[in-house]
Amino acid sequence: MKDSSMRGRGRPLNPVLTQRKIAGAAVSLIQSGGYRALTMAALARQLGVSASALYNHVGSKRDIMILVQDRVNQEIDCSAFDAQDWDVALERWARSYREVYARNIPLIPVMAVLPVANSPHTLAMYEKVAAGLTRAGWPRSWVVNTIVAVESLVFGSAYDAVAPDNIFDPGELSEAAPMFSAAVAHRDLSLDSRRRSPGPHGAGAETAASPADVAFDVGLRSLLAGFRVHLDALRAQEPGITSGGSDLE
Amino acid sequence: MKDSSMRGRGRPLNPVLTQRKIAGAAVSLIQSGGYRALTMAALARQLGVSASALYNHVGSKRDIMILVQDRVNQEIDCSAFDAQDWDVALERWARSYREVYARNIPLIPVMAVLPVANSPHTLAMYEKVAAGLTRAGWPRSWVVNTIVAVESLVFGSAYDAVAPDNIFDPGELSEAAPMFSAAVAHRDLSLDSRRRSPGPHGAGAETAASPADVAFDVGLRSLLAGFRVHLDALRAQEPGITSGGSDLE
């Protein structure tokens, strides 16, 4: 990726065009028109600059996506890893992560497969997660797979967060699927209030639980309970591992 | 959706154009060019028919997507619910589900939010899952949230299955993320062989484990372990619930 210090000699510095502004404009384009709406020409138009001025800062669409990745991931709150037990921190991180990508659905197919190299804020986030898990006694070899498992649930759940509430309505075929139809009709839509922490933005950010919120809650709590089972099994084998203050079940 | 019996009076039956063929051609278009490549005109061309002949069978792109959903979901193997314990069956279903969508990545953003109404095979699949869980003693109110949690992990993991293997390589910034870099370098890439059942297609379908396979394995086994924890807790409250033969931990 070209740095502003690398631009051609003698070209005037355009004070308007920063990597942050480029990333912001790219996010806007993708949010309104999907990933294909992001072209160098459209981005230059959105920024009110010439295409050549844009190429002065970024060499390709891939460079732009790395800027976008880093800008979007910066919104994910991973601060709980500084002070909380690993499972509380992992849960808060996952909730914030889903919330950010539910607002950025068209980015998911790209971000889910984009390498993290050259993304300083993204790496800072992963460093915080990795450090928190390692401090809590997680084997180093488990850390990346744990992160991937949480992210996979998060990306899938972000889609569900924007699905229509009637997505499982069997319609005219309900008689052909009686057990499923009964399960849909009796779906648990209550969110355990103890799990609804106000989150990083304070109580004001709390919204009513949707079916997708409840399903994500079930999935995330189950995943965390499973992680505890595996960590406990490991500790039983190797009692020297300390918990780092986590109160595991 | 128009049925062939509903086509206009006097029009000749085109024996070539079935809903199954339309769905197959639509899947091909999406696989090669993404969701946007699917237009009624392109689909008619792919099928070698006129657009009006196509409109005789399907009224809109949404109708086509429902056909596509039903055709793709038909490939997912949910037969284990007939004979296996709920957790074994849920695991096999999830593995098959991921395998099918890892081959159909461009469909995920659409399928993850498409209502299931009017999709007979999709509903038959959900019926099998719902019946299996209910028989095993799952509360009816938990069934849909369990399905959504598994599907969310599956969709996210399908993306990871097509991500480059070096996706977490921190590149030149590794010094700024030492704990994460160490975790990436020491990532566990071994798949517990006991978990690698030959699957519905026999031992021949088994392939070498990729980093994504291992991460999915960790996520899925953890999710299932968490489900067992919640079901055990419920049974402790209500001892009358039978296990339906599952050997829960």
Side-chain angles (χ1 to χ4, degrees), chain A residues 116 127 145 167 177 180 188, chain B residues 116 127 145 167 177 179-180 188:
Chain A
V116 303
E127 178 66 7
N145 290 329
I167 186 168
F180 179 64
D188 183 4
Chain B
V116 303
E127 179 66 7
N145 290 329
I167 187 169
M179 304 285 273
F180 179 65
D188 183 4

Side-chain angles (χ1 to χ4, degrees), chain B residues 225-238:
Chain B
F227 289 158
R228 286 189 203 101
V229 168
H230 294 143
L231 196 55
D232 285 351
L234 184 81
R235 282 177 182 151
Q237 287 167 18
E238 302 174 44

Side-chain angles (χ1 to χ4, degrees), chain A residues 149-165:
Chain A
V150 170
E151 287 184 328
S152 294
L153 181 70
V154 161
F155 285 135
S157 298
Y159 279 119
D160 191 50
V162 300
D165 278 356

